[in-house]
Amino acid sequence: QEVEDWLDETEGNLQAVSSESPETIEAIEELEKKYQAIQTDIKLEADKVQALDTDASTLISRDHHAKDEIGTRRDNILGRYSK
């Protein structure tokens, strides 16, 4: 759930940055800083996403009773993260 919450927040931040229309050099520079901060945050979360993928794959391979739900959530998270 933690990674999904982070993805929700990050997607919202990206939408907000994408919808801005800066009209001055300073505003463009500020927008670039926001975008770079988001990109840095995405890179920092890579280990958590990889660990989630590994853990989910392990549970699925061990025939966990909720393997279908685990697989669906994992695939959803990995798809959102790769955007």
Side-chain angles (χ1 to χ4, degrees):
Q1 185 65 41
E2 179 182 333
V3 173
E4 289 170 311
D5 291 343
W6 172 82
L7 281 168
D8 290 342
E9 180 182 340
T10 301
E11 288 168 343
N13 290 341
L14 282 170
Q15 282 184 334
V17 168
S18 297
S19 67
E20 291 185 31
S21 299
E23 296 182 12
T24 66
I25 295 295
E26 293 81 13
I28 291 169
E29 290 171 348
E30 184 62 31
L31 185 61
E32 184 177 3
K33 287 178 186 177
K34 289 178 185 179
Y35 181 75
Q36 287 175 350
I38 293 169
Q39 289 297 318
T40 298
D41 192 34
I42 290 170
K43 290 176 185 173
L44 291 173
E45 291 295 311
D47 289 341
K48 288 183 185 177
V49 173
Q50 181 59 45
L52 180 141
D53 184 24
T54 300
D55 292 346
S57 295
T58 299
L59 290 170
I60 292 166
S61 71
R62 292 183 179 169
D63 205 28
H64 189 277
H65 67 86
K67 68 181 180 182
D68 292 337
E69 179 184 349
I70 293 167
T72 299
R73 287 182 74 184
R74 178 200 58 193
D75 294 346
N76 181 39
I77 289 168
L78 294 177
R80 291 172 68 192
Y81 183 79
S82 68
K83 287 185 192 178

